[in-house]
Amino acid sequence: MSDNMTLLIDPHTHDLVFDEDGSFKKIFDKDTTVQNVRHALSTWKEEFFADLEHGTDYESIVGRNQNEIEDEEIKEVIREAVFQEPDVQRIDEIAVSYDRRTLIVQLSATLVNGESIALEVTA
């Protein structure tokens, strides 16, 4: 994964980040993978016209009566989104909490190189 590089996007503002020299800040390896997973989980599937497969199929879970949807069904939707990132080997833990308008996903995963990642995404 040593050539796994991308530009850093601030997770709160969603803006590109610049370094002290005014150049785009780059991230590598594990940090790139975490950012890619975060973006897959924070993007609704079919939201981006240029890639209709990217993102999370929130349509299938958000807005439904919480008594009619099982946690395992929600976790499967999350798994599908996370595994869009090829450097994720396995998901070790998923925790989901939600109300009518907000879904919070906490997950830990192991990458193909054996490193672990952990993140929380609110959608």
Side-chain angles (χ1 to χ4, degrees):
M1 289 192 326
S2 63
D3 46 65
N4 190 6
M5 184 277 299
T6 194
L7 299 177
L8 176 62
I9 298 175
D10 185 289
H12 304 289
T13 66
H14 306 290
D15 293 327
L16 290 168
V17 177
F18 295 93
D19 65 17
E20 58 279 350
D21 296 325
S23 299
F24 291 119
K25 190 167 184 180
K26 298 174 186 172
I27 55 175
F28 299 88
D29 302 325
K30 179 178 172 178
D31 294 330
T32 297
T33 303
V34 169
Q35 179 171 284
N36 290 347
V37 170
R38 178 176 287 111
H39 288 165
L41 291 173
S42 61
T43 302
W44 286 55
K45 195 169 197 167
E46 299 183 7
E47 176 180 343
F48 182 53
F49 72 93
D51 186 351
L52 299 177
E53 295 301 314
H54 174 74
T56 305
D57 185 16
Y58 287 119
E59 280 292 320
S60 67
I61 54 178
V62 175
R64 288 177 56 186
N65 183 330
Q66 293 175 4
N67 296 326
E68 295 176 2
I69 188 167
E70 302 208 12
D71 283 346
E72 197 54 40
E73 187 177 352
I74 295 170
K75 289 178 181 179
E76 185 56 32
V77 168
I78 301 304
R79 284 185 199 96
E80 287 176 17
V82 170
F83 284 122
Q84 291 174 24
E85 175 54 45
D87 287 329
V88 175
Q89 181 177 31
R90 73 174 181 267
I91 297 172
D92 301 313
E93 188 174 343
I94 299 176
V96 179
S97 58
Y98 49 91
D99 61 27
R100 286 186 192 180
R101 297 177 185 251
T102 305
L103 183 74
I104 300 169
V105 177
Q106 296 174 312
L107 71 90
S108 61
T110 301
L111 306 182
V112 295
N113 68 358
E115 289 186 276
S116 296
I117 62 169
L119 65 146
E120 177 177 295
V121 175
T122 302

